[in-house]
Amino acid sequence: MDLTSYIAAMSTNMAQYNVQTAVSIGMLKNSMESAEAVNAQLIEMMDSVPMPSSGVGSLLDVRA
């Protein structure tokens, strides 16, 4: 493989990598936007639930 062919092959590989990266970033962005919308709906739904007046069930202990 001569130098010109090597440079052309590298250029093609770099272009393909750039396209793959752009597509991956676009898919990740769509996933993040979708998750953000779902989270906003979940928060809205949680805010719409009335809190009990007696205080029972108003605290939640969570351990990781």
Side-chain angles (χ1 to χ4, degrees):
M1 181 186 278
D2 64 338
L3 184 59
T4 306
S5 299
Y6 179 74
I7 292 173
M10 288 299 294
S11 175
T12 302
N13 288 341
M14 287 176 60
Q16 288 176 345
Y17 176 76
N18 288 339
V19 169
Q20 289 174 347
T21 302
V23 169
S24 296
I25 290 171
M27 290 176 64
L28 179 60
K29 183 178 178 182
N30 285 342
S31 297
M32 289 175 62
E33 289 172 353
S34 177
E36 190 175 298
V38 169
N39 289 336
Q41 289 175 347
L42 181 60
I43 290 170
E44 183 179 320
M45 184 175 62
M46 289 174 62
D47 288 340
S48 69
V49 175
M51 292 297 290
S53 60
S54 66
V56 175
S58 61
L59 298 176
L60 176 66
D61 292 332
V62 178
R63 293 185 187 191

